[in-house]
Amino acid sequence: MPTNPLSASVILQQMADALPTHPRGDTTSDLSSSHEALALFAHACMASLGFRLLGFDEDKLEEAKCHQIAPRMPPNWNASFNTYAFVYAHQQSALRFVIRTDRMGGKAEIRGLGINDERITRVAVTIKDFVSNAALPIRITINDDGEDRSNLSQTLRNVFISDSRIEDLASLIKINIVQKLLPSLQKEGYEESADDRAAREDADEAGRRPPRQPVMPDPLPQPANPYPFNDPLNPPPRNPVPAGDFPPPGFEDPYDIDRRARIPLQPARSPFGNIGADDLNPPGLGPHDPLRPGLGVGGGLPRPGGGRGMHPTFDDPLFGGLGGDNENFDPQVPPGARYDPLGPGGVPRLGGRRPGGGGGPFGGGFGGFGSGDII
């Protein structure tokens, strides 16, 4: 049965093989802190899955040197403080990958990035849950024959809490980093779990999704709108009829707001003449005031056919349009009057004629001889 490349024993051996060669006379430690142990652990996971180290800076690669001393790492792998970066390549991908481990207080964050892919994956862990500071620092044993690495993997095992914690940490890196950077990785003994397949599907879906285009501002200015749709000074028409509905019932309009503008009647069109037109003039000041004929400018009785007050005379067009220049018109006896107004002695007043149409002194029609009495 193939060995799991992320088992505890394989990872610990990868860590022991990756530590740089310790030069003679150097008294410094090879692994001095817990966050260095986590960075070395992340590199061991990547190396176990077939990732090839190219250097520690994506802008300054050391591919030739790393290939020459592999599986050892160059001595400057931990030259920076509290942050460690590794650049990798893999034969199953054309991308380059960057793995960075940063310490933030009591936690460490491991981030992965596929260059030109711009997708960052990450996982955060609590250092004390996996690493025991009591086993640090570690220094490779040097004897007369050189380095003694025979027991180095066991020494590194003591750095971690337990083998199960080693496998848990390797599983976190596989699910959150490796499977998202390189889905469908083919490696003998390497299997994907349900979480791995879900991570791969998410990565595939993200890869098929087109990149978001930034919203560019319109280079042309918006045209001026002199008639805005919501103009507070131009309210909508009253009582609009809803589209597709019946019109609402009408309501009282005591102030005639909705009534159309009236067209003033001309004297020739009105069946009632100009009755009431002179009521707009104060008494005594109208041009033809019938109540105070001696007051005001232009007083006196109204001219024939020209009265416009509330007291029309018989020459008003209301009484058939007679008057004016008609010499047979008698304003005291309008046409169709039932009684003939009589004067003293039975003679019509002011020489008027009888309603029957007779014009002689003896009358005619219904009148008796010289009496003017009605039969």
Side-chain angles (χ1 to χ4, degrees):
M1 181 177 180
T3 304
N4 183 4
L6 295 180
S7 63
S9 59
V10 173
I11 292 176
L12 290 174
Q13 188 60 49
Q14 285 287 346
M15 292 177 65
D17 295 339
L19 282 175
T21 303
H22 195 98
R24 290 182 176 271
D26 187 0
T27 59
T28 59
S29 59
D30 297 287
L31 194 65
S32 59
S33 63
S34 57
H35 44 280
E36 280 189 7
L38 282 178
L40 181 62
F41 184 93
H43 167 71
C45 292
M46 302 299 288
S48 298
L49 295 175
F51 287 86
R52 185 176 73 257
L53 182 64
L54 302 179
F56 309 106
D57 188 345
E58 55 186 295
D59 296 328
K60 297 171 61 176
L61 298 179
E62 306 177 45
E63 182 176 1
K65 183 178 180 180
C66 294
H67 179 72
Q68 181 181 0
I69 63 175
R72 303 283 193 270
M73 290 191 298
N76 60 334
W77 75 275
N78 57 352
S80 58
F81 182 70
N82 286 343
T83 180
Y84 309 91
F86 305 88
V87 182
Y88 299 98
H90 200 281
Q91 62 179 359
Q92 298 180 18
S93 175
L95 298 178
R96 291 179 178 177
F97 305 95
V98 178
I99 303 296
R100 183 182 297 271
T101 303
D102 296 320
R103 179 185 178 184
M104 294 174 291
K107 289 183 174 291
E109 184 181 55
I110 304 173
R111 299 194 302 271
L113 170 67
I115 300 176
N116 298 328
D117 188 23
E118 307 303 332
R119 287 182 297 168
I120 299 178
T121 60
R122 64 192 61 192
V123 59
V125 297
T126 303
I127 298 177
K128 66 179 182 179
D129 292 344
F130 299 94
V131 179
S132 175
N133 290 325
L136 296 170
I138 293 178
R139 188 174 185 275
I140 299 175
T141 304
I142 299 178
N143 50 32
D144 296 338
D145 297 332
E147 292 182 338
D148 184 8
R149 295 179 177 249
S150 59
N151 200 32
L152 184 56
S153 59
Q154 182 60 40
T155 304
L156 292 171
R157 187 187 301 270
N158 297 332
V159 173
F160 296 93
I161 301 298
S162 63
D163 288 355
S164 61
R165 293 272 75 187
I166 293 175
E167 294 179 356
D168 292 341
L169 183 57
S171 178
L172 289 176
I173 294 175
K174 180 184 75 170
I175 294 173
N176 296 281
I177 304 295
V178 176
Q179 285 297 322
K180 294 182 179 180
L181 292 180
L182 189 59
S184 302
L185 174 65
Q186 302 296 323
K187 178 70 175 178
E188 186 178 2
Y190 176 81
E191 295 181 358
E192 291 184 357
S193 62
D195 293 336
D196 299 336
R197 289 190 293 270
R200 183 188 64 190
E201 292 174 359
D202 293 342
D204 292 342
E205 178 66 23
R208 289 190 296 267
R209 190 181 304 120
R212 294 183 179 180
Q213 297 295 333
V215 179
M216 300 300 294
D218 191 353
L220 298 178
Q222 294 296 327
N225 190 359
Y227 303 101
F229 295 104
N230 298 323
D231 188 358
L233 301 179
N234 186 20
R238 295 173 57 87
N239 300 329
V241 179
D245 201 351
F246 56 87
F251 297 94
E252 295 182 1
D253 189 12
Y255 298 103
D256 293 342
I257 295 176
D258 295 331
R259 184 175 296 178
R260 295 181 178 179
R262 301 171 183 169
I263 301 176
L265 294 174
Q266 301 298 326
R269 296 181 180 180
S270 173
F272 302 105
N274 295 322
I275 297 177
D278 281 344
D279 290 341
L280 299 176
N281 301 314
L285 298 179
H288 308 289
D289 189 357
L291 299 180
R292 295 175 177 84
L295 300 177
V297 179
L301 292 175
R303 293 175 298 177
R308 299 189 302 172
M310 290 298 294
H311 304 278
T313 57
F314 293 114
D315 61 346
D316 194 277
L318 177 65
F319 297 103
L322 300 178
D325 297 334
N326 188 358
E327 59 182 5
N328 296 324
F329 177 74
D330 186 359
Q332 297 185 7
V333 185
R338 178 64 182 83
Y339 296 98
D340 186 5
L342 302 177
V347 180
R349 291 179 296 177
L350 300 179
R353 60 180 176 83
R354 299 178 184 276
F362 300 103
F366 296 106
F369 176 78
S371 65
D373 294 336
I374 301 174
I375 299 175

